[in-house]
Amino acid sequence: MVKIHLSRLLGERRWTQADLVRKTGIRPNTISEIYNELVDRINLDHMDLICEALNCEIADLLEYIPNKNRKIK
């Protein structure tokens, strides 16, 4: 599973989703879907813009959490 930490990062900076929209130019619906972890995939250009706006690394934004029940053969 991949956890998206956008809500935490915005909270730490006391930014709203609207602030991030203004800084990045990404559509509000897209920011909301990422913020609420409703996405199956994220556009790399969007990741770049978000990391640049928040002055963070991708590792600050995304975290891989192994699924103990899933076994890949």
Side-chain angles (χ1 to χ4, degrees), residues 13-56:
R13 288 161 178 77
R14 297 181 189 238
W15 283 20
T16 64
Q17 291 180 45
D19 293 329
L20 188 59
V21 167
R22 281 190 290 278
K23 298 276 186 184
T24 62
I26 300 171
R27 291 177 344 114
N29 287 348
T30 302
I31 293 294
S32 177
E33 289 172 354
I34 296 169
Y35 181 92
N36 290 299
E37 299 186 67
L38 299 174
V39 293
D40 291 329
R41 62 194 83 178
I42 301 176
N43 180 303
L44 292 177
D45 289 333
H46 292 168
M47 292 296 298
D48 184 50
L49 289 168
I50 292 169
C51 287
E52 185 175 329
L54 296 175
N55 192 29
C56 69

Side-chain angles (χ1 to χ4, degrees), residues 1 64-73:
M1 167 170 88
Y64 171 67
I65 301 170
N67 183 344
K68 296 178 183 179
N69 297 327
R70 182 185 238 174
K71 298 194 179 186
I72 298 176
K73 297 177 183 179

